[in-house]
Amino acid sequence: MPEFIYQWGRDQALTADRCFLCGADLARGRTDEHVFPQWLLRRFDLWNEKITLLNGTLMPYAQMRIPCCSSCNNEHLSRIEQTVGDAFAEGPEAVSALDATTLFLWMGKIYYGVMFREISLLADRRDPQAGAIMTPEFLAGFRTHHLLMQAARGVVRWRHDQHPASVFVFQAQEPTHPRARFDYVDIINFPFFAVRVGTTAVVAVLQDWGALAEAVTVPGLEAARQLDLHPQQFRETAALAAYMTTLFNRVPKHVMHAAGDHVGMFTLPIAGLSAKPVFDAFDVGDYAHVLSHVTGQPIEELYDGRNIVTLLRDGADQPWAVPWSADEHCFPDIRLMQQ
Ligand SMILES: [Zn+2]
């Protein structure tokens, strides 16, 4: 009986003295992995810009570093950063052309890294105001994601015709100010990731095994594909995909086998034996809360109980090119869409 080279209970680090990726004890050498890569911080001058953590704490991107062993950092992850950084420098076509696993691992590291960083905050709680952000028990719940991340080390592999995520790549408008050319959206508790980097926006459901991309049509996402997204439209697109993530109602099931130098994974058909759609019905009122959260706009200005504002489609349901520049943020109330 071959032994599994990766084991959750043993290899998922839940404390800051081990490598966040492979679980190696760092007593004999620790490196810091930037959650948000250095090329990104450099390109958009983000070192002192702050990210809002789950409990509302603000932390500079430069301090978003997590414990990592040298081989995960300097071999596996730096190879991914190099490839992905080059693609973002080129634009959406190059990002779309990236190997799907490479892009997934890049997004997955940031997504998981933000949560892991929050665990370290508990350990060095210099700021007594900072409440409990993330507990080790909570992070342990993301063990499937941690398992998938092992593909960065080649230790886990999934079938070439299966993929963990639904990924959407969009063209984005670039504001004049470098710092405004980067944006990031996440939502608590759901494996969702959205980022706008220069002229490229990427929105992903990280563990639906392609369901959002293949099993449903979301008119707003379809419109977004045809647009050069204004920063506000990016936020709306992210909100839409984030809300859809919350509607996904299956827990993907995997069959694992030990194959010597890796763990092989096969994912069973997402719908399973049930004829029920894999996404719950879209509820405009519920979506309005997500849209309000992601855009920072009061819900009353977005939703009148029946209609909801969209900047993605016009009254004839066609993709809408916003008439103001990427440097301006406007909130006209004329674009009420009935869903
Ligand atoms: Zn490691």
Side-chain angles (χ1 to χ4, degrees):
M1 185 71 179
E3 202 176 307
F4 281 79
I5 193 165
Y6 170 83
Q7 293 173 25
W8 275 316
R10 185 192 65 198
D11 298 333
Q12 184 184 18
L14 299 173
T15 49
D17 56 355
R18 296 168 66 197
C19 174
F20 83 96
L21 183 57
C22 73
D25 188 333
L26 297 175
R28 273 181 289 143
R30 162 187 168 140
T31 69
D32 281 332
E33 169 72 10
H34 281 80
V35 175
F36 292 87
Q38 297 181 74
W39 63 260
L40 188 74
L41 307 189
R42 212 176 294 126
R43 210 174 283 171
F44 303 108
D45 192 19
L46 296 169
W47 299 101
N48 297 313
E49 289 293 302
K50 291 184 173 128
I51 178 173
T52 306
L53 300 178
L54 298 180
N55 73 341
T57 307
L58 292 170
M59 177 177 286
Y61 281 100
Q63 286 180 26
M64 291 294 288
R65 296 188 303 264
I66 48 178
C68 193
C69 75
S70 170
S71 74
C72 285
N73 188 343
N74 300 319
E75 291 170 37
H76 310 306
L77 296 173
S78 81
R79 190 175 54 236
I80 291 170
E81 287 304 344
Q82 183 68 49
T83 309
V84 173
D86 289 351
F88 273 109
E90 275 188 58
E93 274 185 35
V95 173
S96 299
L98 278 170
D99 167 63
T101 299
T102 302
L103 183 57
F104 170 79
L105 292 169
W106 184 79
M107 299 187 288
K109 186 210 76 178
I110 296 176
Y111 170 73
Y112 190 82
V114 169
M115 293 190 288
F116 197 94
R117 180 66 183 92
E118 296 186 353
I119 277 197
S120 326
L121 278 182
L122 284 176
D124 58 16
R125 193 188 299 207
R126 264 171 250 124
D127 178 5
Q129 306 287 303
I133 299 180
M134 166 76 61
T135 62
E137 295 72 32
F138 186 78
L139 188 69
F142 292 83
R143 63 183 198 169
T144 303
H145 186 78
H146 192 259
L147 168 87
L148 293 168
M149 288 299 299
Q150 304 309 310
R153 306 191 290 131
V155 166
V156 166
R157 296 182 205 161
W158 45 85
R159 262 172 48 155
H160 66 88
D161 59 341
Q162 300 191 323
H163 193 66
S166 287
V167 181
F168 302 86
V169 179
F170 304 100
Q171 174 91 38
Q173 297 177 30
E174 278 198 303
T176 309
H177 202 293
R179 283 176 211 172
R181 294 178 194 158
F182 169 76
D183 195 13
Y184 169 73
V185 175
D186 64 2
I187 49 171
I188 298 170
N189 272 349
F190 291 94
F192 169 80
F193 177 94
V195 74
R196 180 170 57 80
V197 178
T199 58
T200 310
V202 181
V203 172
V205 186
L206 295 175
Q207 266 179 61
D208 72 344
W209 293 83
L212 183 58
E214 288 157 23
V216 281
T217 302
V218 182
L221 293 179
E222 295 303 314
R225 282 183 206 269
Q226 297 175 58
L227 291 164
D228 187 7
L229 293 179
H230 184 279
Q232 289 177 266
Q233 288 176 313
F234 163 71
R235 283 260 158 179
E236 181 180 337
T237 304
L240 251 183
Y243 176 62
M244 290 306 295
T245 306
T246 70
L247 297 181
F248 185 59
N249 59 28
R250 296 297 202 276
V251 178
K253 294 182 181 63
H254 314 286
V255 178
M256 323 285 279
H257 65 274
D261 67 344
H262 70 275
V263 176
M265 285 176 83
F266 169 69
T267 302
L268 298 174
I270 287 297
L273 296 173
S274 163
K276 186 180 152 196
V278 299
F279 289 93
D280 291 339
F282 197 102
D283 182 287
V284 183
D286 290 345
Y287 167 58
H289 285 279
V290 177
L291 184 64
S292 170
H293 173 72
V294 172
T295 61
Q297 257 190 290
I299 195 164
E300 317 79 71
E301 292 174 16
L302 296 168
Y303 180 57
D304 67 2
R306 187 150 178 264
N307 301 291
I308 191 154
V309 168
T310 178
L311 299 179
L312 292 170
R313 291 181 292 155
D314 63 18
D317 262 2
Q318 295 304 305
W320 191 59
V322 301
W324 55 90
S325 85
D327 293 324
E328 294 171 283
H329 281 228
C330 303
F331 299 100
D333 57 8
I334 46 165
R335 312 231 69 83
L336 279 175
M337 284 298 288
Q338 194 173 342
Q339 290 279 344

